Amino acid sequence: MKPIQIAPSVLPVDFSRLGEAICELDQAGVDLIQWDVMDGQFVPNLTFGPDIIASTRSLTKLQFEAHLMVLTPEAMASRYVEAGCSRLIVHAEACANLRHTLEVINDLGAASAVALNPETPASAVCDVLDLVDLILVMTVRPGFGGQKYIQTMEPKIAEVRQMISSANLDDKVNVEVDGGISAETVSGAAKSGANILIAGSALFRDPKGLTHAVQQIRETATSAFNSR
Ligand code: DX5
């Protein structure tokens, strides 16, 4: 089973100092960086093109993953890999042929992953576990940070973890959650089987700073995950 990993969403940072923010997140002890890529069509928001991500690639050795909240992930996949993302997360809801899209990403030399919106059942990914290294269960509606954690997603997190365990893929496939994750909500997600936790606003609103916020979420998640 993969260890617990804490990853920030870059969405809430002050974009006027994006480079410094990436360095501060690295110094705060996060395990990887998640870029929330939005096209203004799949979700009503517009964020990072590949060139923005590429401009920060040399600032840290941390893995970059792109959460592609876009209608046509295949069309942009190679640009995000070239920009330095080694994992691309596509939405099951945006892929007419999910397997093919994942194979395109794998053929680019990146790890592929699938995100499920709150209304999409876990069964949407049961046929692609052999291709991915991560399933992302959204615990908010995609598009914006600062939303409330949807606790009723926890049975779906557990169902995805169970599918992975039943296929003996726990060492290969991670369960990630994203949306409303904080020291208060992370234990429910981790106890349900999530081992990669995406946090945005909770990291930046901690009065004791980023390092404290990362540490608190990591400790809470680790004890909850290990208590399963
Ligand atoms: C939604 C985004 C957010 C972001 C994290 O599309 O994916 O979930 O990463 O936002 P917080 O942690 O502020 O809820």
Side-chain angles (χ1 to χ4, degrees), residues 33-207:
I33 303 265
Q34 184 185 89
W35 294 86
D36 279 317
V37 176
M38 302 179 188
D39 65 358
Q41 298 182 69
F42 183 71
V43 292
N45 199 352
L46 202 54
T47 57
F48 312 105
D51 292 348
I52 293 177
I53 297 173
S55 70
T56 67
R57 181 59 277 179
S58 61
L59 299 176
T60 175
K61 292 195 173 7
L62 287 175
Q63 177 185 10
F64 283 178
E65 69 176 26
H67 175 192
L68 298 175
M69 290 166 270
V70 302
L71 271 187
T72 57
E74 263 175 62
M76 296 296 278
S78 60
R79 295 282 312 282
Y80 282 92
V81 174
E82 284 152 25
C85 298
S86 56
R87 176 186 289 134
L88 300 187
I89 306 171
V90 300
H91 269 264
E93 304 85 3
C95 297
N97 184 331
L98 182 56
R99 260 195 99 78
H100 176 67
T101 301
L102 298 171
E103 285 164 349
V104 165
I105 294 168
N106 291 344
D107 290 348
L108 290 168
S112 61
V114 185
L116 300 173
N117 278 341
E119 70 277 6
T120 304
S123 56
V125 295
C126 61
D127 296 334
V128 297
L129 294 180
D130 58 311
L131 292 174
V132 299
D133 86 332
L134 181 144
I135 301 295
L136 166 53
V137 178
M138 291 301 290
T139 45
V140 294
R141 283 217 53 71
F144 298 92
Q147 301 177 72
K148 190 173 175 318
Y149 172 76
I150 305 174
Q151 193 171 8
T152 51
M153 289 295 106
E154 290 176 4
K156 182 160 84 171
I157 299 167
E159 187 181 352
V160 170
R161 172 56 72 189
Q162 185 51 47
M163 283 160 62
I164 293 166
S165 302
S166 306
N168 293 317
L169 291 171
D170 279 317
D171 287 343
K172 177 179 171 286
V173 184
N174 297 282
V175 179
E176 181 173 284
V177 295
D178 176 2
I181 293 296
S182 66
E184 292 70 39
T185 61
V186 72
S187 48
K191 201 169 175 61
S192 303
N195 70 295
I196 300 184
L197 299 315
I198 305 294
S201 37
L203 294 185
F204 293 93
R205 69 169 173 247
D206 187 328

